[in-house]
Amino acid sequence: MASGVDRLTQVMDRLRSPGGCPWDAEQTHESLVRFAIEETYEFADAVESGSRTEMREELGDVLMQVVFHSRIAQESADEPFDLDDVANTCADKLIERHPHVFGDTTVADAAEVRERWDQIKARTQSRESTMDGVPVALPALARAQKMLSRATRAGLDVRDPAGVGIGQQLFALVARAQAEGVDAETELRAATRAYEEAARAAEIQRLGEAASADASVTQGSPS
């Protein structure tokens, strides 16, 4: 008897193949993106509601998106990959980023695990900035928080002219924006972009100062 994942893959193959579903057959990665985002939010809602039944159903919908995209990718003439490739890539990444579990590295606590995760991620993905890799398409609030989190973990001293606000304060700001005819989402995106630029500038300044310090030490050392 096929496992649940195998059965789902077979169902998707049937839907996508000739004689299957016309709607499923014409979908592309681009046409499905919005559904992947929606299903993720619906799963988050289910988690917040605490309903185990809804969690199982919505998580299944998220999995369906992974299987659907993998089935479409399998048909690519240039760079095909399938669900096994996706799963193996994910497994390889987890092993690589957990040397304290799959290797000889030791860690003191969860905070050190996160720090090492960031270091390994930065090295393997060849990112030039801490700010790289934060999706522009994230909702403004989520993107702002992601930027702040990245800057904090990187130890960047970035002046935040917006200050700090939560809950009712955020709602009050949105209400004010509405009353003044200002699009709050657009304004927050603009503020986040400005923060990102300031964070990148702080990174460059820190690297420059470190390089200058190294140069001074080298020049001052005896020949």
Side-chain angles (χ1 to χ4, degrees), residues 26-103:
E26 69 181 16
Q27 297 311 303
T28 65
H29 292 303
E30 291 75 16
S31 69
L32 290 174
V33 166
R34 68 185 182 91
F35 297 111
I37 295 171
E38 288 171 6
E39 298 298 358
T40 301
Y41 278 116
E42 288 179 11
F43 173 63
D45 287 341
V47 171
E48 291 176 359
S49 74
S51 170
R52 303 292 291 181
T53 301
E54 289 183 14
M55 283 176 60
R56 183 175 63 186
E57 180 179 351
E58 298 301 341
L59 196 56
D61 289 342
V62 172
L63 177 60
M64 182 190 72
Q65 291 299 313
V66 175
V67 172
F68 206 156
H69 279 280
S70 298
R71 180 62 177 81
I72 293 172
Q74 194 175 333
E75 301 167 11
S76 171
D78 300 323
E79 298 181 65
F81 60 82
D82 59 18
L83 185 60
D84 277 343
D85 295 321
V86 172
N88 281 320
T89 298
C90 184
D92 290 342
K93 182 187 295 185
L94 288 173
I95 292 171
E96 180 181 49
R97 295 185 184 177
H98 291 82
H100 54 287
V101 177
F102 301 99

Side-chain angles (χ1 to χ4, degrees), residues 102-119:
F102 301 99
D104 299 327
T105 303
T106 58
V107 293
D109 51 28
E112 187 176 351
V113 170
R114 184 57 185 266
E115 182 180 351
R116 287 179 178 273
W117 176 286
D118 289 338
Q119 292 171 353

Side-chain angles (χ1 to χ4, degrees), residues 144 149 209 214:
S149 175
E209 291 172 350
D214 289 342

